[in-house]
């Protein structure tokens, strides 16, 4: 009986898992509807008073997505004003939902990623994850890794989809 050889472990194939780069920290959606009159109208004096009464320290080390769940028309300065209150505490602040927040976080991570370890190697970008990795992160990772890799694939070593091969 011949020995079973694991050719995947012996190959030069490098697995890139976006989940490994998941930024740690709490994600919070801050819905400003409760600071609006009847959830719809921003009255500046009342709005500013609400902001002064808020305990901003509860957002310490959080990633914050600012949103309004009603159909209110919120002027841009309102979100800017909120960000001045959050700035000493929050790690990152965006206007949008959790998906937009995750995309923003991953964009920063991938922009700062050193891909030199993937130079002239076949790279597989792992597809499955248990964390909320946004679809855009896969695109950005592919583009970044493609600039140095010999080839780029998607999936698992046993069932990958070829995406790019250097000429």
């Amino acid at each position: 009986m011949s020995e079973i050889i694991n050719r995947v472990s012996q190959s030069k194939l490098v697995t890139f898992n976006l989940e490994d780069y998941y930024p740690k920290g709490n994600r919070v959606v801050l819905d400003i509807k409760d600071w609006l009159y009847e959830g719809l109208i921003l009255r500046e004096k009342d709005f500013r008073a609400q902001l002064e009464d808020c305990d901003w320290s509860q957002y310490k080390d959080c990633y914050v997505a600012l949103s309004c769940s009603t159909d209110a028309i919120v002027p841009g300065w309102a979100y800017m004003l909120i960000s001045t209150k959050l700035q000493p505490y929050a790690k990152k602040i965006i206007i949008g939902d959790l998906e937009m927040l995750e995309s923003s976080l991953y964009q920063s991570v991938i922009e700062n990623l050193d891909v030199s370890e993937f130079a002239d190697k076949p790279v597989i970008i792992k597809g499955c994850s248990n964390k909320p990795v946004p679809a855009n992160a896969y695109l950005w990772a592919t583009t970044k890794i493609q600039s140095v890799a010999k080839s780029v694939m998607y999936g698992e070593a046993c069932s990958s989809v070829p995406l790019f091969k250097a000429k």
Side-chain angles (χ1 to χ4, degrees):
M1 199 162 155
S2 63
E3 180 183 345
I4 298 174
I5 300 170
N6 184 341
R7 289 185 295 189
V8 172
S9 66
Q10 292 179 345
S11 74
K12 294 180 181 178
L13 184 65
V14 178
T15 300
F16 178 78
N17 186 354
L18 279 161
E19 199 173 47
D20 294 342
Y21 297 89
Y22 184 77
K24 290 180 172 69
N26 291 334
R27 276 85 166 141
V28 178
V29 175
L30 177 55
D31 188 348
I32 69 165
K33 75 171 171 40
D34 295 332
W35 294 337
L36 306 178
Y37 176 71
E38 294 183 0
L40 294 170
I41 300 168
L42 189 146
R43 291 182 174 167
E44 185 177 351
K45 186 177 178 181
D46 296 339
F47 184 74
R48 286 180 180 272
Q50 292 275 4
L51 297 185
E52 288 305 317
D53 292 340
C54 183
D55 175 16
W56 297 103
S57 66
Q58 67 183 308
Y59 300 102
K60 184 167 176 44
D61 296 328
C62 291
Y63 299 107
V64 182
L66 301 174
S67 70
C68 183
S69 61
T70 63
D71 289 331
I73 297 172
V74 180
W77 64 261
Y79 291 115
M80 294 165 69
L81 184 59
I82 294 167
S83 75
T84 66
K85 305 294 186 187
L86 283 168
Q87 188 277 329
Y89 304 102
K91 287 183 179 180
K92 186 170 190 100
I93 309 159
I94 65 142
I95 298 172
D97 58 16
L98 285 177
E99 186 175 340
M100 290 174 74
L101 179 60
E102 292 295 348
S103 284
S104 178
L105 293 172
Y106 266 100
Q107 185 172 21
S108 296
V109 166
I110 293 169
E111 283 175 354
N112 296 310
L113 186 66
D114 177 13
V115 292
S116 60
E117 69 179 285
F118 306 119
D120 301 318
K121 294 180 183 168
V123 179
I124 187 161
I125 298 175
K126 189 171 186 253
C128 298
S129 74
N130 295 315
K131 295 181 179 158
V133 178
N136 278 330
Y138 289 96
L139 301 179
W140 298 323
T142 302
T143 302
K144 184 100 177 197
I145 292 169
Q146 175 183 338
S147 67
V148 297
K150 180 178 178 181
S151 64
V152 180
M153 295 163 279
Y154 172 80
E156 300 291 333
C158 61
S159 60
S160 62
V161 176
L163 302 173
F164 164 80
K165 190 165 195 157
K167 293 183 171 42

